[in-house]
Every structure is written in C-alpha cells, then in structure tokens.
C-alpha cells in the first residue's frame, strides 16, 4: 500500500515508541515527513534512517510540545520547509504516577502541560496550515486511562480525557472546512513509556488489574497501523471519534 504518496505529514513524539513506528509506517507508504520530538538527536537519526530506507523526504526538529511559542515557530518552519502539510499526528506524551493526595501542583502541571496543553499547542499551530488544504487530518493520542479507571494516574487520565474532548470539538468546528479529527485510545503498547510507570509507595497492585490487556502487550507498530488508517483516505468517513487500540482491555 502507498496511501501517503503526495501527502505531507507532521508527527510529534517521533523519536520513540508509537511515534517512531508511525513515522516508519507513513514513510513505508510513501509519505513526506516532518518529525518532531524533545529528543532532537533521536528524531534526527530517525528521519535520516527513514529517508535512506524508504527514499522519502524527511525533515526533523527538536521541540518541547509544552512550549506554545516554540511549537508555533517549529510548525511554521516545517510548513515552510515542506511547502505546506496536510496531516498532523500528535503523539508526543509522558506518563507519571502518583498517589493523587501526595501529588504536588508542579507534578500535576507537568503532565497537563505536556499531554493536554501540548495537544492544544500542536493543533493550534497546525490548523492554519491544515486548513489551507481541501482535505486535512488530525490524529491525537489518547489513552484507555481516559475512559477506564487506572490508579495513580489521575493527572494522566485527566490530560488524556481532555485530548478526547478537545478533538471532538475540533471535528465539529472544522468539519465543513475539510478537516477530519480523531483520537486513538491506546493501551498496553510496549514502549519506553512504561519505564515511566512506577507504583507509588504502598500501592495496592490489585487495583491495576483493569488497566491490563488480557493478551500480551502490543508492539508499537500495532498502534501505528491504527493511526495510519485514521490518517489515510481509507478512513475518509471516520470523523470526530475515537478508535480504541488496547487489545480489548476495556471491553
Ligand atoms: N504505551 C502505551 O501503552 C500507551 C497507551 C496509551 C497512550 N499512549 C500514548 O502514546 C503516546 C506515545 O507514547 P509511547 O508509548 O510511544 O511512549 P514513548 O516514551 O516511547 O514516546 C513518547 C515520545 O514523546 C516524546 N516527548 C515526551 N515529552 C515531550 C515533549 N515535551 N515535547 C516533545 N516530545 C516529547 C519523547 O521524547 C518520546 O520520543 C503518548 O501520548 C502516550 O501517552 C501510550
């Protein structure tokens, strides 16, 4: 399949995990890529290796998605370098775990700043460029924690719930201007993010059972294929919704 030939795709969080696997899938299918990550060196290497492997044009940028003015500057730069783009796959995110009553305001704000404000900043900066096309796409990354009940992740859950609500609002606001905006609700994907999970002191691990998939953890490419589907024309009638990729954990 070459669903992304002629398409120009911005991906955040592309140095690792789901973002990296998504970049690989889009490159394999012929897409031009602007890859972004706080890990500037990592994302540069990913861009170079995908160009070499698949013969597609790639550019890369270091950026912190929680820094709104930097996000605008870098996304505008990517639009200049690629002469516009039609797709934003906003995947960058962090996970932190705390007993809620012990969480500091700074810890709460860190998660909300990266996951929720970062989603707003990326979409806000990308929208003028996306809307310059007849058809354009946003896929944002939510989590089963937004819908299920995951212990010690109240800030993460709130940030990912916000991503769903925000994306649905984008859909209706811009549907008549050719934008499709959807979320992937991920869960149980084996990536370095899991190293950020630490059961807080005294945690009752029994509480975590509902968060676990019944099958083994997925590979990042299994989430990437869902993101690529939503980004592609195969999903042209899918809008303002969420697709769950969690191995059935919430069912
Ligand atoms: N792994 C899972 O099971 C799972 C489940 C549900 C949702 N998600 C979501 O999927 C997304 C990707 O996570 P992953 O599992 O691939 O983890 P990951 O840690 O492998 O990748 C996250 C990427 O985001 C980048 N990043 C982190 N903070 C950033 C910032 N401030 N600015 C720019 N880039 C930043 C990291 O450098 C990294 O490359 C996240 O939004 C995560 O919340 C993951």
């Amino acid at each position: 399949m070459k669903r992304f030939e002629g398409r120009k795709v911005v991906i955040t969080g592309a140095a690792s995990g789901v973002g990296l696997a998504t970049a690989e899938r889009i490159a394999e299918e012929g897409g031009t890529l602007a890859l972004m990550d706080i890990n500037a060196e990592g994302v540069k290497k990913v861009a170079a290796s995908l160009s070499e492997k698949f013969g597609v044009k790639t550019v890369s940028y270091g950026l912190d998605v929680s820094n709104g003015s930097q996000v605008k500057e870098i996304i505008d730069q990517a639009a200049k370098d690629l002469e516009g783009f039609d797709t934003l796959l906003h995947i960058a995110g962090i996970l932190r775990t705390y007993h809620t009553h012990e969480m500091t305001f700074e810890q709460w704000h860190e998660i909300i700043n990266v996951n929720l404000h970062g989603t707003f900043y990326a979409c806000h900066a990308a929208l003028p460029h996306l809307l310059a096309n007849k058809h354009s796409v946003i896929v944002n990354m939510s989590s089963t924690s937004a819908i299920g009940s995951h212990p010690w992740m109240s800030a993460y859950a709130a940030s990912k719930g916000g991503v769903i609500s925000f994306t649905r609002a984008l859909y209706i606001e811009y549907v008549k201007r050719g934008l499709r905006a959807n979320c992937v609700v991920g869960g149980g994907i084996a990536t370095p993010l899991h190293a950020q999970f630490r059961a807080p002191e005294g945690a009752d691990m029994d509480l975590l059972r509902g968060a676990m998939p019944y099958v083994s953890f997925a590979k990042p490419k299994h989430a990437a294929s869902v993101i690529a589907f939503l980004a592609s024309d195969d999903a042209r009638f899918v809008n303002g919704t969420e697709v769950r990729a969690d191995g059935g954990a919430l069912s």
Side-chain angles (χ1 to χ4, degrees):
M1 278 190 292
K2 289 282 180 196
R3 292 177 297 184
F4 293 96
E5 272 178 351
R7 298 273 302 272
K8 298 176 188 173
V9 181
V10 171
I11 306 181
T12 69
S16 173
V18 175
L20 167 55
T22 303
E24 177 148 22
R25 180 65 188 257
I26 304 283
E28 191 182 350
E29 293 201 42
T32 294
L33 291 170
L35 305 181
M36 304 175 182
D37 203 286
I38 200 164
N39 177 357
E41 269 312 299
V43 79
K44 195 172 164 190
K45 280 189 194 139
V46 170
S49 89
L50 293 181
S51 270
E52 195 181 311
K53 191 168 171 192
F54 299 108
V56 293
K57 175 173 174 167
T58 60
V59 287
S60 71
Y61 313 84
L63 98 168
D64 177 353
V65 296
S66 68
N67 179 336
S69 52
Q70 191 188 65
V71 170
K72 177 151 178 45
E73 192 184 306
I74 298 288
I75 287 195
D76 285 349
Q77 187 61 50
K80 233 185 229 167
D81 295 343
L82 296 186
E83 295 177 41
F85 62 85
D86 51 75
T87 300
L88 170 70
L89 309 179
H90 175 62
I91 300 171
I94 56 168
L95 171 68
R96 304 282 186 267
T97 41
Y98 308 103
H99 289 300
T100 301
H101 66 284
E102 291 171 356
M103 192 183 342
T104 65
F105 293 166
E106 288 74 21
Q107 288 166 336
W108 169 273
H109 286 136
E110 181 195 15
I111 298 168
I112 299 294
N113 280 341
V114 174
N115 291 355
L116 182 56
H117 294 171
T119 302
F120 162 66
Y121 294 142
C123 294
H124 175 263
L127 273 166
H129 303 293
L130 294 171
L131 296 172
N133 302 278
K134 201 167 163 212
H135 299 289
S136 58
V137 178
I138 290 175
V139 180
N140 286 325
M141 195 71 200
S142 185
S143 159
T144 48
S145 65
I147 303 169
S149 42
H150 295 185
W152 324 303
M153 298 184 207
S154 57
Y156 183 75
S159 72
K160 294 298 186 178
V163 169
I164 291 178
S165 308
F166 174 71
T167 308
R168 283 181 171 237
L170 285 187
Y171 141 70
I172 192 63
E173 188 170 347
Y174 298 106
V175 62
K176 290 192 178 178
R177 298 184 64 183
L179 178 78
R180 287 193 300 108
N182 293 295
C183 277
V184 169
V185 175
I189 307 151
T191 69
L193 187 93
H194 286 264
Q196 296 168 27
F197 176 86
R198 280 181 196 86
E201 211 181 316
D204 176 352
M205 295 308 282
D206 202 37
L207 300 177
L208 201 58
R209 255 194 269 163
M212 307 304 279
Y214 294 96
V215 293
S216 58
F217 273 50
K219 295 199 164 109
K221 69 177 182 184
H222 299 129
S225 60
V226 178
I227 296 169
F229 162 69
L230 286 174
S232 79
D233 269 0
D234 285 341
R236 67 169 72 84
F237 205 47
V238 182
N239 207 349
T241 191
E242 303 82 43
V243 174
R244 204 152 47 80
D246 68 342
L250 287 193
S251 295

